[in-house]
Amino acid sequence: MAFTSEDINVPCLLSTLREWVSIETPSRDGARINALVDLVASRASASGLLVSRSAGQTGCGDLLIVRSRTAGTDTKGLLVLTHLDTVHPVGTLSEHFGWREEEDRIYGPGIYDMKSGAIMALYALELVANTTGENVPSITVMFTPDEEIGSKCSRAAIELEARGAKAALVVEPARDGGKIVVARKGGAIFDVEITGRASHAGTRPLDGRSAIREAAKVVLMLEEMNDVDRGVTVTVGTISGGSARNVVPERCRLEVDVRLPDMAAAEAVIAKILAIKASDPDITIRTEGGLTRPPYAQSVASEALFQQASRLAKPLGITLQGVVSGGGSDGNFTAALGVPTLDGLGADGGGAHTQDEHIIISSIAPRTALLANLLLSACPGNGSEGGGTLYGASAHALRLSKPRRKE
Ligand SMILES: [Zn+2]
């Protein structure tokens, strides 16, 4: 059994997407995110899926988990990750950036990153659950409220689900013409606080110790850690300091963004940043920060998953290509736990995080069918079609439909 693009009712999917886009959901507005969670949860319940919802902590929206109703034979399931928050502030919709269709594109805030991926995931799960009857595989779809601000509220729950999963599929948007993401850099952030000594710039300049002059040296030290060939980037994104033109500045503060291809690079670069010392004994440097998302490096298991997805994609007219992304996602958490992970399985489009954000309508049907077939290939009895079973489990084990003991 395999789904085709014809199995996807695109107008129906798009009308739900339009509803979801009409609710603005910036990450820090828990109440608005919960209004969307209400919609997603009631649709999932109406489709006969299991729904659980936990209250958001520290201002986050609620975390919604939707599962297939399995007979309990599939001990390890698939995890699908989506987020309902967007980077766009409330009011974006009314500022000439509402839903707009132009030929094969639809524009709208959050449509590409990633409300389209969220509805595709739910649609694919409904399709598989409705088709496989009592053989439905164990599938969990998480709708998280805070991916765009680093997933502090959701990380523990994501890692808990990932530990019990045989693979993770992330429906973040596709890249550059439909490419999927097979690895992502890790990310670290640092705040560097430099404290010197204030004094009158005209009458007692020698008594002062300029925090800004020290900061200039630190900025150059940090920028020298960039290593393009290795994929390490270090960016001083903001600098602020001083109190008035005629005062030797006492304080200066830097905000630093670091992207890292693997754990070895992460450890080396982070140690180097934390070891930066002041060049003057009268100046102190306090550096706080560290890894926020571990690197999602390519692995043998993820490569096998990519090959399987490529085989399933071909009959749908998709030639799957993988890319390494510099941006992080919740896939970083699952991959770092050793769970085979594929990312960027959502809609094709562009303009993420800008007012050019759009999806390509014609990508919806084949990519939703691909997602459904990926879910389906974990189904008991579906191992022999589409090029074998997924996720390293033996074909024999997956074909058993009777309850079995854990091996
Ligand atoms: Zn996203």
Side-chain angles (χ1 to χ4, degrees):
M1 187 204 289
F3 296 108
T4 68
S5 294
E6 283 71 53
D7 293 312
I8 312 302
N9 186 338
V10 176
C12 172
L13 190 151
L14 290 179
S15 83
T16 306
L17 178 59
R18 186 169 189 160
E19 240 183 293
W20 290 11
V21 169
S22 75
I23 300 175
E24 297 185 299
T25 52
S27 311
R28 293 184 207 280
D29 194 331
R32 283 177 198 264
I33 289 174
N34 286 347
L36 179 54
V37 173
D38 290 345
L39 274 190
V40 181
S42 64
R43 169 165 171 157
S45 298
S47 303
L49 299 162
L50 293 169
V51 174
S52 70
R53 177 171 177 167
S54 40
Q57 309 293 322
T58 58
C60 281
D62 294 353
L63 174 69
L64 181 70
I65 299 183
V66 176
R67 297 182 204 274
S68 55
R69 286 179 191 274
T70 59
T73 54
D74 205 2
T75 51
K76 271 196 153 192
L78 296 182
L79 177 62
V80 182
L81 295 176
T82 82
H83 63 84
L84 294 180
D85 61 321
T86 80
V87 298
H88 300 283
V90 171
T92 306
L93 268 176
S94 53
E95 286 164 13
H96 319 290
F97 189 41
W99 179 279
R100 187 173 96 244
E101 296 184 33
E102 274 176 24
E103 294 174 357
D104 197 21
R105 294 179 171 197
I106 306 175
Y107 293 80
I111 194 167
Y112 172 62
D113 187 7
M114 60 179 285
K115 287 178 178 172
S116 49
I119 179 63
M120 285 162 69
L122 184 56
Y123 193 100
L125 173 57
E126 289 168 347
L127 206 55
V128 170
N130 289 336
T131 318
T132 50
E134 59 183 27
N135 276 341
V136 65
S138 162
I139 299 162
T140 298
V141 184
M142 294 182 84
F143 298 87
T144 64
D146 61 336
E147 194 275 343
E148 297 291 4
I149 51 171
S151 306
K152 275 197 186 119
C153 293
S154 313
R155 181 175 180 171
I158 291 167
E159 289 179 337
L160 185 70
E161 292 293 336
R163 284 197 181 92
K166 52 186 158 193
L169 306 174
V170 188
V171 281
E172 286 282 353
R175 300 298 143 95
D176 314 328
K179 295 191 182 83
I180 66 167
V181 177
V182 294
R184 288 180 182 272
K185 289 182 186 178
I189 54 172
F190 295 92
D191 290 322
V192 183
E193 192 88 47
I194 298 164
T195 310
R197 190 194 300 148
S199 71
H200 191 297
T203 60
R204 307 194 70 88
L206 297 182
D207 289 352
R209 297 290 181 272
S210 169
I212 288 181
R213 191 175 65 175
E214 187 68 18
K217 294 179 188 170
V218 174
V219 169
L220 293 178
M221 271 188 249
L222 288 165
E223 295 284 340
E224 265 164 33
M225 292 179 201
N226 276 290
D227 186 344
V228 177
D229 293 340
R230 206 170 166 197
V232 173
T233 60
V234 180
T235 305
V236 180
T238 72
I239 181 165
S240 53
S243 55
R245 188 200 301 271
N246 55 358
V247 180
V248 175
E250 185 182 15
R251 287 182 195 284
C252 191
R253 187 168 187 268
L254 311 174
E255 288 180 314
V256 187
D257 175 279
V258 183
R259 305 292 167 126
L260 303 146
D262 51 56
M263 276 316 285
E267 280 163 19
V269 173
I270 289 170
K272 225 168 151 183
I273 290 173
L274 293 174
I276 291 178
K277 295 263 180 309
S279 62
D280 183 315
D282 294 333
I283 294 177
T284 58
I285 296 179
R286 209 182 68 198
T287 305
E288 279 179 2
L291 209 56
T292 50
R293 280 202 171 99
Y296 156 14
Q298 281 168 299
S299 69
V300 175
S302 290
E303 173 61 24
L305 186 53
F306 175 77
Q307 294 303 339
Q308 178 70 18
S310 300
R311 282 193 288 275
L312 292 172
K314 231 167 234 158
L316 297 165
I318 304 172
T319 305
L320 220 52
Q321 282 180 277
V323 289
V324 177
S325 170
S329 88
D330 289 334
N332 288 62
F333 300 134
T334 59
L337 290 173
V339 179
T341 299
L342 278 190
D343 201 339
L345 287 163
D348 192 7
H353 296 193
T354 72
Q355 299 217 350
D356 185 45
E357 189 167 345
H358 63 272
I359 55 167
I360 307 287
I361 299 170
S362 56
S363 76
I364 298 285
R367 293 180 79 90
T368 307
L370 172 60
L371 200 54
N373 287 338
L374 277 162
L375 301 181
L376 198 58
S377 57
C379 187
N382 201 41
S384 56
E385 289 170 21
T389 56
L390 272 180
Y391 325 116
S394 76
H396 172 70
L398 283 177
R399 276 194 206 100
L400 289 174
S401 55
K402 282 182 288 184
R404 62 193 174 89
R405 283 201 200 116
K406 253 187 178 167
E407 280 143 17

